[in-house]
Amino acid sequence: CFTKSTVRGTIKEKPGFNPGEDAAALRKAIEGIGTTEKTLIDILTQRSNAQRQLVCKAYQDATGRTLCDDLEGDTRGDLEGILVALITPPAKFDCQEFIGAIKGAGTTESVLIELFASRSNHQIKAIQWEPKLFGYQHSSSIFPTVQILYEAGEKKWGTDESKFIDILCHRSVPQLRQTLVEYKSLSGKTLQESIEREMSGRLEDILVAIVKCVKSVPAYLAERLYKSMKGAGTTESTLTRIIVGRSEVDLQDIKAEYKKLFGTSLYSDIESETSGDFRQTLLKICGEDGK
């Protein structure tokens, strides 16, 4: 992602991990009289994704069934969705989100924008997606880039959108960060302000999202989480995608940005805006502030 490589997730590898013991506990929770959701939640939220893959293998070796199939057969709704997400390898999970956004009842553009803007070129390649959107190019000077953006937007009668698209989608993150600084110095406006003034619709949305992610992926995703809970009805799929998808990447930073931007903790908003076992799963992954 656009953040530093230092891992700032909330989920770490469990010391003394034993995949066979976990698989046996999960099997008992599923095959007993009534599924024991607490056991499923406790185990799957307190292991790294790599450890969960080993648990899945041990489970299938012991039962002849996949853990995914059993979770889908014994849980329902949002709880099923988040538990299945937890046992899915990250690249496959992203791929499924892309496909779901495209193949659903109408393309969910906001999901595609979020995924493209907040994933690195490496991550896009990992899910076999078109890598050109995040290709990295290098030049000796950032000023020609700034001049082109200015002349394509603020200085031009009618905006040359292709110039914005080419630069925002084909420059390295350090270059783009310098571009933001130089652009404001040249034009007197931020690049985001110019995009919002000169463009509209989904093109505006995706370019603004890229600019926001250049500045801070955690802040952008914190905003997405806030809107998913404070809009007209909670968007559980967004909560699942971001909380699970960033749980081993930068969820600690997202929590900090959330508090800074909205004056409340992500944990407390999840607690008040969701319910049941789905809420408990989210809270276990998120963790309280300072933990």
Side-chain angles (χ1 to χ4, degrees):
C1 62
F2 291 124
T3 52
K4 295 179 181 178
S5 59
T6 305
V7 175
R8 292 280 295 151
T10 56
I11 293 181
K12 314 291 183 184
E13 288 196 346
K14 178 181 170 59
F17 165 69
N18 186 315
E21 288 181 1
D22 283 348
L26 291 171
R27 182 178 183 179
K28 183 179 178 181
I30 291 171
E31 292 180 352
I33 301 173
T35 301
T36 310
E37 285 83 359
K38 184 179 186 303
T39 300
L40 302 180
I41 294 167
D42 287 347
I43 291 176
L44 296 180
T45 61
Q46 303 304 309
R47 310 290 186 271
S48 70
N49 192 279
Q51 289 177 329
R52 286 179 226 130
Q53 300 314 309
L54 296 176
V55 172
C56 288
K57 183 179 185 305
Y59 188 93
Q60 187 164 0
D61 289 345
T63 67
R65 306 185 304 271
T66 69
L67 179 57
C68 181
D69 285 345
D70 280 2
L71 287 175
E72 289 176 342
D74 284 76
T75 57
R76 296 288 182 272
D78 297 319
L79 177 64
E80 174 193 329
I82 196 168
L83 293 181
V84 169
L86 282 166
I87 64 168
T88 304
K92 182 179 179 181
F93 178 59
D94 276 353
C95 187
Q96 289 172 343
E97 291 295 300
F98 272 114
I99 292 169
I102 294 169
K103 300 293 185 183
T107 300
T108 310
E109 289 91 347
S110 62
V111 175
L112 294 176
I113 291 168
E114 175 200 307
L115 289 165
F116 269 123
S118 64
R119 298 302 189 270
S120 68
N121 186 45
H122 172 75
Q123 289 169 312
I124 298 295
K125 283 181 178 178
I127 61 170
Q128 299 301 300
W129 203 253
E130 172 55 61
K132 290 187 292 183
L133 283 177
F134 285 89
Y136 293 131
Q137 296 179 353
H138 300 278
S139 64
S140 58
S141 172
I142 199 71
F143 185 76
T145 295
V146 179
Q147 191 72 34
I148 291 167
L149 283 172
Y150 177 54
E151 291 178 358
E154 287 294 331
K155 195 176 179 182
K156 184 180 175 67
W157 180 264
T159 304
D160 188 347
E161 289 92 347
S162 65
K163 293 290 199 312
F164 279 80
I165 294 167
D166 182 58
I167 288 171
L168 287 174
C169 296
H170 291 86
R171 296 293 185 273
S172 69
V173 174
Q175 283 181 311
L176 287 173
R177 286 181 178 148
Q178 185 64 24
T179 297
L180 298 184
V181 174
E182 297 292 345
Y183 187 91
K184 186 172 183 181
S185 175
L186 179 67
S187 72
K189 296 182 177 64
T190 67
L191 183 55
Q192 182 176 333
E193 287 171 339
S194 288
I195 290 169
E196 290 171 340
R197 172 177 168 175
E198 300 290 330
M199 299 179 194
S200 61
R202 288 306 184 188
L203 177 61
E204 175 191 346
D205 292 342
I206 193 167
L207 295 184
V208 166
I210 291 171
V211 169
K212 287 180 177 180
C213 284
V214 167
K215 292 190 286 188
S216 171
V217 169
Y220 169 71
L221 293 176
E223 182 182 340
R224 289 280 295 163
L225 287 169
Y226 182 81
K227 288 180 178 178
S228 78
M229 290 186 282
K230 301 299 182 179
T234 301
T235 309
E236 288 81 0
S237 60
T238 299
L239 287 172
T240 295
R241 183 174 57 256
I242 296 176
I243 297 294
V244 172
R246 311 305 289 198
S247 61
E248 294 180 53
V249 182
D250 55 1
L251 190 51
Q252 295 282 14
D253 296 326
I254 292 171
K255 287 164 61 178
E257 291 293 340
Y258 194 98
K259 187 73 172 285
K260 186 192 304 182
L261 289 169
F262 306 113
T264 182
S265 75
L266 177 58
Y267 187 96
S268 64
D269 276 357
I270 290 172
E271 198 169 32
S272 63
E273 299 293 336
T274 61
S275 62
D277 290 321
F278 178 63
R279 172 172 61 191
Q280 289 307 114
T281 309
L282 289 170
L283 293 178
K284 282 271 191 178
I285 299 170
C286 179
E288 296 182 64
D289 289 352
K291 295 184 179 179

